[in-house]
Structure formats: C-alpha cells, structure tokens
Amino acid sequence: MEQHMSEIVTAAFIVIGDEILSGRTKDKNIGHIADILTSVGVDLKEVRIVSDDEDAIIDAVNALRARYTYVFTSGGIGPTHDDITADSISKAFDLPCEHDVAAIELLRDYYKGRDIEFNEARQRMARMPKGATHIANPISIAPGFRIGNVHVMAGVPSIFRAMLDNVLPTLETGAKLISTTTPCPFGEGIISTPLGQIQKDNPEAIIGSYPKLAESGNFMTDIVVRARSEEVLERTTGAVRALVARLLTEQDTGQ
Amino acid sequence: MEQHMSEIVTAAFIVIGDEILSGRTKDKNIGHIADILTSVGVDLKEVRIVSDDEDAIIDAVNALRARYTYVFTSGGIGPTHDDITADSISKAFDLPCEHDVAAIELLRDYYKGRDIEFNEARQRMARMPKGATHIANPISIAPGFRIGNVHVMAGVPSIFRAMLDNVLPTLETGAKLISTTTPCPFGEGIISTPLGQIQKDNPEAIIGSYPKLAESGNFMTDIVVRARSEEVLERTTGAVRALVARLLTEQDTGQ
C-alpha cells in the first residue's frame, strides 16, 4: 500500500441489487467499506445503490469512475440470469465480456475436486471484461475483478469482505483523516453558533455535530473533529473542548 | 393515498451526511424506507449517499427529481454549520431559502413552552425554499418540507420514521409488487439455467435468486418471485416450486 501523505485519494461504492432496493435484503457492506476505506486514508465520497438493470449500472459506473480515484462495486457476479454486473461493466468500458482462461481453470479445478459438474451456469462466473485482473475469492473461488479503476466484488458479505481485504494492498492511499469525538450534553441549538465560529477559525479541520435523542427526550450531540494532521486536530479539538467546558458552567440543559 | 393500479410509481432516496460515508454512523434509514415504499407500491429505484457538500447535494437532487416520481432525502436539516440541506435544495430549485413564517411560529411556541431561548441557530431550522409545505415532526417539532416532488426529512432515525409516516398518505402509489420466497437447498450453479428459462417463460414476473452460505460451507439460495398480479405471481411461483421439487429428486447437493 503506497502512501501519499499529501494527496487526497477518493472512492465511490456502487451496490448492485434489486433485493436491497426492495428492502428484502438489508445492506451490510456499506458500513464495512466506509470503515475500512476511512482507516486506510481513502475518502469514500459517494455511494449509490442501483437495480439489476444494465443502463443503471453503466450510468453509475461511468459517472463515478471519471470522478473518483477508485470505484468499488458489490453484487451481481453470480451464475444466474439476474447477475449482469460483468456484462454491464464490460459495456461501460466498451470491452468484450469473455470467459477468462485463468478463472475457468480455477473454477474447473475447484469443482473437479468437489466432484461437481462445471456446467454452463458455473462457467458464467468466469466471465469478465477482456484485460481485467482477478480479485481472489478464498471462500467460493469465483474471482471478482479489477478493470481500470473499478473493483468488482461479490455481494455476499463474507465474500465481499475477503475480496476487499485482497484489494486493499493494491490501493494507493492518501493522508489519513484522523478524528476525535467530544460528547456534549447540549443540543445543536445551543452549540451551533460557537461551533460554526470554531469551524471558521480552523478551516483545515472538518467539524461535524451529530445529534442524539437522550432517553430524557433532550438532544445531546457528539462533536466530531476530522483533520489530516495531528496539529490541526489537536488545536481544533482543544477549541471544541473549551467550548463544551464553558457551556457546562454557563448553560441550562434546554435544547 | 390514491392508488393507481396500472401505473408504476418510482422513487429515489438521498442520504446526506459525511458521517455515513466515514463509517462513523451506520445508516438505519435505507432499509426502513425500502420496506415502507415497497409495502405501499412505490418502487425505490435508486439510493445515493452524498457528503455535506452543496454541489453534491444539488447534483443528486436535480438528477433524481427529473427521473423518478418522488425523491426523499434524510439528514442535514439541523441548526449547525454543516446542515446545508435547506440551502442546497433551494438552489437546486432556484428558489430563495427563507425563514418560513409558520415554522418560526411552531418553533417559537415550542421553545417558549420549554423556557428555552429561540436563538438564531434554532431559527435556522425554520428555513426552507419559498413555497415549500411542511412535513410534521412530532418528536422535536422542527418540520421537514416538501418542494415539488422532493421530500426533505431528518436523519435521526426516530424522526425520519415519524416524518415518513406523515408523508405516506400524501403519495400516489402504484400497483403493489407482491412476492413469494422459495427456499432452495441448491446453489446458483445448479438452478441458474432452469431458473433463467422460467424467467424467459414468465416475462411479467421478476425472479431473483439470493445465495446464502450455509454453515456447512455449501451455498443455498432463496428464490424470490415478484409480480404486480396474483395470477402472474402464482403461475411463476408454481414453476419455481416444481423446479426445486424436481432437483430434490434428481440432484446431489453439490454447489
């Protein structure tokens, strides 16, 4: 993993699947990839969930691969008629979608060892855009693939996670965004104005405030400061903590 | 809720917030709105998660409101500096973002009753595009709003759900997509080809197969059939069940 301390590396994630949009399946990959990319200094800038529809997939892939350093996808790479990701990505890149020779061999060996017929449907899982490289799948063998800056992975969470682990060492990563969280017993209505001033005074930091409804019915907030340097993080967090301390001595707890 | 049995009503959902993209907060609204919209016959076609960035919000809102019957958003309508949804939606519609008189009154009464100062930050929560109508917030009073076909709601899940409940009766809904699920002890490698044939024979139905990794390490699948008429659903589900029954008598359980 090559690290560029000064460069900002960005990413988008595309979840492909009608089952997420219908509510039948609850996505478990968005939160995971967000955590992982943040931890290695890649900024996840956008997520899209699209249906099993060729035009929808092509539009999303082409819009996002032009805009961000990396694109990741999940879903639609199995053997059934509704698994159209490989074809759609190939069309997005204007490349033929072919049975990859190395993937065919991997799968042939795998099924042979389990005495299972390597039928036409299973061979479908070896299809990918011409020139793509594999993303290894230690769980069910059928590989994901990378073409250009787009990484195509399975939707089943255990396989998605294993594939993402295999992709990470190949990524260029940026200066890691580090953060602090300061819990604040006051709602946004109290902290908003002085917090806005701290943001203005510390433009290199990114300050977010996240309201939580306490059991008492009052709002509290978590104030999160993010920065790419320890120095900016410490200075800004110090200002936030001083604000909370001041409010604790001055304010009622009304929201 | 006016129902148009023949018409297909579509929707997109935009989640606004850096905290979801950084992994700090795990989204809890996508699965909920997917369930709710499916249950009332509105097809959720696309979800986007975008950062607290004006251009990103405007681009997403304008792309999606032109494409789908309804757009819903969550997040960014609180009183702090990073709450820029009202301004961004106003710009997307090329409308001024103003303090809404009725919202100011609601909030003034609410804070007066609680003996809390109705300061400038809290007044920010009354801002919305000129001409917008309220979406009532029974929990913390500050309303969401509807402008054109776009419904702007809070990100805090309890408030999001309450606002969505208040929006539902105002929506036109389409012919509801009804479904059956047939659990199948075989993996996609076995069912793919005959299932593809059932899909071809029943073009009005939407057949999906969702692999699950069993504890034994084998793949099983849930075969989901969706249709807008009982008759299509029954015919197609019958064909799926006959397939599973046939495989159960013929096949080994290899994946």
Side-chain angles (χ1 to χ4, degrees):
Chain A
M1 195 150 32
E2 203 176 336
Q3 194 161 357
H4 297 264
M5 286 307 293
S6 55
E7 199 186 326
I8 291 175
V9 180
T10 59
F13 179 40
I14 305 172
V15 177
I16 298 165
D18 289 346
E19 70 277 18
I20 307 289
L21 293 168
S22 74
R24 184 191 173 279
T25 302
K26 299 296 181 271
D27 168 78
K28 289 176 181 149
N29 295 330
I30 294 171
H32 179 72
I33 197 171
D35 284 338
I36 295 288
L37 292 179
T38 299
S39 75
V40 299
V42 173
D43 286 4
L44 181 61
K45 302 296 278 185
E46 187 170 346
V47 176
R48 295 192 188 180
I49 308 177
V50 301
S51 65
D52 297 316
D53 174 86
E54 190 172 275
D55 289 338
I57 299 169
I58 292 173
D59 286 354
V61 168
N62 281 338
L64 299 175
R65 73 187 175 100
R67 200 173 299 165
Y68 303 111
T69 318
Y70 298 117
V71 172
F72 303 90
T73 78
S74 72
I77 63 169
T80 61
H81 65 275
D82 59 346
D83 288 309
I84 60 168
T85 299
D87 290 279
S88 304
I89 303 279
S90 300
K91 286 193 182 168
F93 279 86
D94 205 13
L95 287 169
C97 188
E98 298 179 347
H99 286 90
D100 180 84
V101 174
I104 286 282
E105 284 186 13
L106 271 176
L107 287 168
R108 181 180 288 130
D109 287 353
Y110 173 66
Y111 287 117
K112 197 174 180 181
R114 301 182 121 208
D115 204 20
I116 293 170
E117 185 199 356
F118 187 36
N119 60 18
E120 193 186 320
R122 294 186 176 110
Q123 289 171 34
R124 246 178 90 78
M125 291 189 284
R127 297 172 73 245
M128 54 185 74
K130 191 183 172 79
T133 53
H134 291 196
I135 299 171
N137 168 2
I139 294 173
S140 57
I141 308 309
F145 60 85
R146 172 178 176 157
I147 182 80
N149 61 343
V150 178
H151 302 75
V152 175
M153 297 182 283
V156 175
S158 58
I159 305 177
F160 177 81
R161 288 171 184 226
M163 286 183 172
L164 186 58
D165 287 345
N166 287 334
V167 164
L168 281 184
T170 71
L171 302 179
E172 294 188 353
T173 56
K176 196 174 146 184
L177 209 52
I178 49 182
S179 69
T180 60
T181 299
T182 304
C184 170
F186 305 104
E188 293 191 312
I190 288 174
I191 63 172
S192 168
T193 302
L195 202 61
Q197 189 59 50
I198 296 175
Q199 176 69 83
K200 265 184 205 149
D201 295 343
N202 296 275
E204 290 171 80
I206 305 161
I207 307 176
S209 72
Y210 304 109
K212 293 190 295 192
L213 207 48
E215 278 178 40
S216 60
N218 280 354
F219 275 102
M220 302 188 299
T221 44
D222 280 345
I223 304 173
V224 175
V225 178
R226 294 189 189 85
R228 294 190 194 277
S229 89
E230 287 281 359
E231 191 256 325
V232 172
L233 186 69
E234 276 177 29
R235 186 179 65 233
T236 312
T237 302
V240 167
R241 292 192 175 160
L243 166 64
V244 175
R246 180 168 66 74
L247 291 173
L248 279 166
T249 59
E250 288 178 9
Q251 281 281 344
D252 63 60
T253 55
Q255 306 306 307
Chain B
M1 193 148 35
E2 202 177 336
Q3 192 161 358
H4 298 262
M5 285 307 293
S6 55
E7 200 186 325
I8 291 174
V9 180
T10 59
F13 179 40
I14 306 172
V15 178
I16 298 165
D18 289 346
E19 70 278 19
I20 307 289
L21 293 168
S22 74
R24 184 191 173 278
T25 301
K26 300 296 180 271
D27 167 78
K28 288 177 182 148
N29 295 331
I30 295 173
H32 179 73
I33 197 171
D35 283 339
I36 294 289
L37 292 179
T38 298
S39 76
V40 299
V42 173
D43 286 4
L44 181 62
K45 301 296 278 185
E46 187 170 347
V47 175
R48 295 193 187 179
I49 308 176
V50 301
S51 64
D52 297 317
D53 174 87
E54 189 173 278
D55 289 338
I57 298 168
I58 292 173
D59 286 354
V61 167
N62 280 339
L64 299 176
R65 74 187 174 100
R67 201 172 299 164
Y68 303 111
T69 317
Y70 297 117
V71 173
F72 304 91
T73 78
S74 71
I77 62 169
T80 62
H81 65 276
D82 59 345
D83 289 309
I84 61 169
T85 299
D87 290 279
S88 304
I89 302 279
S90 300
K91 286 193 183 166
F93 279 85
D94 204 15
L95 288 169
C97 189
E98 299 179 346
H99 286 90
D100 179 85
V101 174
I104 285 282
E105 284 187 12
L106 270 176
L107 287 167
R108 179 180 290 129
D109 286 353
Y110 173 66
Y111 288 117
K112 197 174 181 182
R114 300 182 120 210
D115 204 21
I116 293 170
E117 185 199 356
F118 187 36
N119 61 17
E120 192 186 322
R122 295 187 176 110
Q123 288 171 37
R124 246 179 89 77
M125 292 189 284
R127 296 173 73 246
M128 55 186 75
K130 190 183 171 81
T133 54
H134 291 196
I135 298 172
N137 168 2
I139 295 173
S140 57
I141 308 308
F145 59 85
R146 172 178 178 157
I147 182 80
N149 61 343
V150 178
H151 303 75
V152 175
M153 297 181 281
V156 174
S158 57
I159 305 176
F160 177 82
R161 288 173 184 225
M163 286 183 171
L164 185 59
D165 286 344
N166 287 334
V167 165
L168 281 185
T170 71
L171 302 179
E172 293 188 354
T173 56
K176 196 173 147 186
L177 209 52
I178 49 181
S179 69
T180 60
T181 299
T182 304
C184 169
F186 306 103
E188 293 191 313
I190 287 174
I191 62 171
S192 169
T193 302
L195 202 61
Q197 188 58 49
I198 296 174
Q199 176 70 83
K200 265 184 207 150
D201 295 343
N202 296 274
E204 290 171 81
I206 305 161
I207 306 176
S209 71
Y210 304 109
K212 293 190 296 193
L213 207 48
E215 277 177 42
S216 61
N218 281 355
F219 276 102
M220 302 187 299
T221 44
D222 279 346
I223 304 173
V224 175
V225 178
R226 292 189 191 84
R228 293 190 195 276
S229 89
E230 287 282 359
E231 190 256 325
V232 172
L233 186 70
E234 275 178 30
R235 186 179 62 233
T236 313
T237 303
V240 167
R241 293 193 172 158
L243 166 65
V244 175
R246 181 168 64 75
L247 291 173
L248 279 167
T249 60
E250 287 177 9
Q251 282 278 344
D252 64 60
T253 55
Q255 306 307 307

